[in-house]
């Protein structure tokens, strides 16, 4: 039962990584940019939920909806002010800008909320489920996290593959110049990508802090890095790959903590990533891109 419990907890944690990784993989897939400030958007979303639910005493659902709206707008503002001027710049310039945005968000949160860790109130009101005569207990947070992640991944896949904006986003991903010639607003599609990714980050922040009820300005840093690892693991640019990579990462991390060492779990996660990339450089579901010269 211990293994099953660790496995379910790992899937729950991996589902959160998947939600965050979807933001990375969409932005990279459409705009070919790595938004390393994405992890701090998670923290901002969690703080918005905290403010709404604890300070203003609003309902958790309303708090999460406000956080989604706030982070959606925040993502579009970040793209417009920080990344749009660098559309033709080198990858290094974009990377340095992303790090700058990350530190800006962290320090803004420090000024507003202080450096002390806040106790986060769970937004999930579902009771735990007891199985096998009480030997296996699945928390409400775990159940909600897994269900929400699966629903979002399916909805996002349908949106990208079936809807008109989704097809336009895929066209921009293939060839920005050709998409523009066909009448697609490339800037609007990239802004929409940042908006969707940031909205998902708000949901991930609320679920992460519900499962691990501690919130500080640095809350999103390590989950953001691990979610990027998950996106690369699954094949960055692939929505199903982000989901698979996130879940595998969460399971590996949790099993490593339970059976090997909690101190070495992060090292094991990154070691597995290195091994996977050595065997398959594009990730599990990544596709090799052949460029014509």
């Amino acid at each position: 039962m211990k293994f099953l419990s660790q496995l379910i907890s790992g899937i729950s944690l991996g589902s959160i990584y998947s939600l965050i990784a979807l933001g990375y993989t969409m932005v990279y897939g459409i705009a070919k940019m790595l938004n390393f400030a994405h992890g701090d958007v998670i923290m901002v979303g969690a703080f918005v939920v905290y403010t709404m639910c604890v300070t203003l005493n609003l309902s958790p659902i309303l708090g999460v909806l406000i956080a989604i709206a706030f982070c959606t707008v925040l993502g579009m503002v970040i793209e417009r002010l920080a990344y749009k001027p660098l559309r033709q710049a080198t990858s290094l310039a974009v990377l340095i800008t992303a790090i700058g945005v990350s530190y800006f968000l962290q320090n803004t949160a420090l000024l507003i909320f202080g450096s002390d860790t806040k106790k986060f109130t769970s937004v999930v009101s579902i009771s735990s489920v007891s199985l096998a005569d009480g030997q296996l207990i699945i928390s409400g947070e775990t159940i909600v996290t897994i269900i929400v992640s699966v629903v979002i991944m399916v909805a996002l896949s349908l949106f990208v593959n079936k809807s008109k904006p989704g097809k336009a986003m895929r066209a921009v991903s293939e060839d920005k110049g050709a998409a523009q010639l066909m009448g697609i607003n490339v800037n609007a599609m990239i802004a929409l990508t940042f908006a969707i990714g940031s909205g998902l980050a708000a949901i991930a922040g609320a679920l992460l802090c519900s499962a691990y009820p501690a919130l500080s300005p640095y809350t999103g840093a390590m989950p953001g890095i691990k979610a990027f690892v998950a996106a690369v693991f699954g094949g960055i640019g692939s929505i199903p790959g982000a989901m698979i990579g996130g879940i595998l990462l969460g399971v590996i991390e949790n099993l490593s903590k339970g059976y090997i060492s909690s101190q070495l779990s992060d090292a094991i996660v990154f070691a597995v990533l290195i091994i996977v990339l050595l065997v398959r450089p594009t990730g599990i579901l990544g596709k090799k891109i052949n460029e014509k010269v």
Side-chain angles (χ1 to χ4, degrees):
M1 283 299 169
K2 180 185 176 183
F3 174 79
L4 195 55
S5 178
Q6 294 280 357
L7 181 64
I8 292 171
S9 297
I11 293 173
S12 175
L13 178 61
S15 297
I16 296 173
Y17 288 155
S18 298
L19 284 178
I20 308 170
L22 285 171
Y24 279 114
T25 205
M26 285 189 67
V27 169
Y28 182 80
I30 306 299
K32 297 298 182 287
M33 292 181 177
L34 293 175
N35 179 22
F36 280 110
H38 191 64
D40 295 286
V41 178
I42 303 165
M43 173 269 297
V44 171
F47 266 117
V48 172
V49 175
Y50 175 85
T51 303
M52 295 298 110
C53 297
V54 176
T55 307
L56 301 180
N57 202 28
L58 299 178
S59 69
I61 294 177
L62 183 58
V64 172
L65 291 175
I66 293 172
I68 293 171
F70 185 89
C71 287
T72 299
V73 174
L74 176 64
M76 296 175 72
V77 170
I78 290 172
E79 189 276 331
R80 179 67 179 84
L81 298 180
Y83 296 129
K84 188 178 178 182
L86 302 175
R87 200 63 57 78
Q88 304 301 324
T90 62
S91 299
L92 182 61
V94 176
L95 176 62
I96 293 170
T97 301
I99 294 171
V101 173
S102 173
Y103 278 114
F104 175 78
L105 293 176
Q106 284 183 15
N107 283 278
T108 302
L110 276 169
L111 288 171
I112 297 173
F113 298 101
S115 59
D116 58 312
T117 302
K118 307 287 190 298
K119 183 174 174 56
F120 193 89
T121 303
S122 176
V123 298
V124 178
S125 57
I126 296 176
S127 301
S128 300
V129 175
S130 179
L131 301 174
D133 296 327
Q135 295 182 42
L136 178 63
I137 298 175
I138 305 173
S139 68
E141 286 80 8
T142 296
I143 296 169
V144 170
T145 298
I146 294 172
I147 292 173
V148 167
S149 298
V150 171
V151 169
I152 287 175
M153 194 210 70
V154 172
L156 195 58
S157 295
L158 290 173
F159 171 78
V160 170
N161 291 310
K162 301 295 182 182
S163 71
K164 188 175 180 180
K167 292 176 181 178
M169 288 165 68
R170 286 194 289 136
V172 172
S173 174
E174 289 291 331
D175 191 324
K176 292 184 180 65
Q180 199 162 15
L181 288 174
M182 295 301 294
I184 295 172
N185 189 332
V186 173
N187 290 329
M189 290 302 102
I190 293 175
L192 177 61
T193 303
F194 271 84
I196 293 172
S198 299
L200 295 179
I203 299 173
L207 293 173
L208 175 67
C209 290
S210 294
Y212 307 93
L215 176 61
S216 77
Y218 307 105
T219 291
M222 185 53 73
I225 293 172
K226 289 180 180 178
F228 173 69
V229 171
V232 175
F233 196 16
I236 194 162
S238 168
I239 291 175
M243 189 75 183
I244 293 170
I247 290 175
L248 285 176
L249 193 76
V251 170
I252 292 168
E253 181 181 338
N254 233 48
L255 292 179
S256 299
K257 286 179 179 178
Y259 291 98
I260 301 174
S261 169
S262 58
Q263 285 79 22
L264 292 176
S265 61
D266 289 345
I268 293 168
V269 163
F270 289 108
V272 170
L273 173 69
I274 293 169
I275 293 169
V276 168
L277 292 182
L278 286 173
V279 176
R280 189 173 173 81
T282 57
I284 296 171
L285 295 183
K287 295 179 181 178
K288 186 177 180 180
I289 299 174
N290 296 316
E291 293 186 4
K292 295 182 180 179
V293 179

